[in-house]
Amino acid sequence: MKTFTPKPADLTHDWYVIDATDVVLGRLASQAAILLRGKNKLTYAPHADSGNHVIILNADKIALTGNKLGKELYMHSGRPGGLRRDSYGKLLKTNPERIIKSAIKGMLPKNRLAKVQLDRLHIICGTEHPYAGQKPQVFEIAQVSQQAK
């Protein structure tokens, strides 16, 4: 059996829209990471950039389970004294994009390809997005939070 290696002409970058209303953060991040890497395609190869563009709407309406509202998210600028920590509860009100982006970044591989794939992630707090010209497909995450019901 021969190993399939996709050629650059075989690689396409589709567009997907995910509505994050009442979706648990981990489920949203894992599905978005699969789409960003292109693992949903038949032409997937770990070394090739076959990822898709992912638009996440209603980022401020995600569901956090357990005691995550009290936990903190850390970020370091790389400079001395550059450690920044914010609680998830505060970030959910002020900057929910940072919560989702850090969760998805942790699920991508730790290599040069991860930055290229993460640049295709578009997180929006509202329901309107400026990417209608790309004709994105709706990607449905079936299981929503039990607390939201």
Side-chain angles (χ1 to χ4, degrees):
M1 181 171 185
K2 291 195 173 201
T3 303
F4 173 73
T5 301
K7 308 287 186 280
D10 297 336
L11 303 177
T12 60
H13 305 293
D14 302 327
W15 286 76
Y16 291 95
V17 171
I18 299 175
D19 186 14
T21 305
D22 297 329
V23 177
V24 178
L25 175 63
R27 292 186 189 276
L28 174 70
S30 64
Q31 293 296 320
I34 288 171
L35 291 173
L36 286 171
R37 291 190 69 192
K39 291 185 95 173
N40 61 329
K41 297 180 179 180
L42 295 175
T43 59
Y44 170 73
H47 63 279
D49 181 23
S50 61
N52 303 304
H53 290 267
V54 176
I55 305 164
I56 297 178
L57 301 177
N58 296 320
D60 51 344
K61 296 178 183 167
I62 59 169
L64 296 174
T65 59
N67 195 19
K68 286 191 191 70
L69 290 174
K71 289 181 87 175
E72 293 180 337
L73 181 64
Y74 293 91
M75 185 174 75
H76 202 285
S77 67
R79 313 229 355 131
L83 182 66
R84 178 182 183 136
R85 74 175 179 207
D86 297 308
S87 69
Y88 277 94
K90 179 184 166 197
L91 282 174
L92 196 58
K93 294 175 186 162
T94 59
N95 192 4
E97 296 95 356
R98 186 172 154 211
I99 295 174
I100 296 173
K101 190 168 187 172
S102 68
I104 293 172
K105 182 180 179 182
M107 294 186 184
L108 291 176
K110 313 312 185 246
N111 56 20
R112 295 180 195 172
L113 199 55
K115 183 186 180 326
V116 176
Q117 293 167 347
L118 200 59
D119 287 341
R120 291 197 181 105
L121 177 66
H122 312 282
I123 304 172
I124 298 168
C125 282
T127 57
E128 299 296 321
H129 61 86
Y131 307 105
Q134 276 70 27
K135 297 182 180 73
Q137 304 169 18
V138 176
F139 187 81
E140 196 69 35
I141 298 177
Q143 192 167 9
V144 296
S145 174
Q146 298 296 320
Q147 298 164 346
K149 291 183 180 178

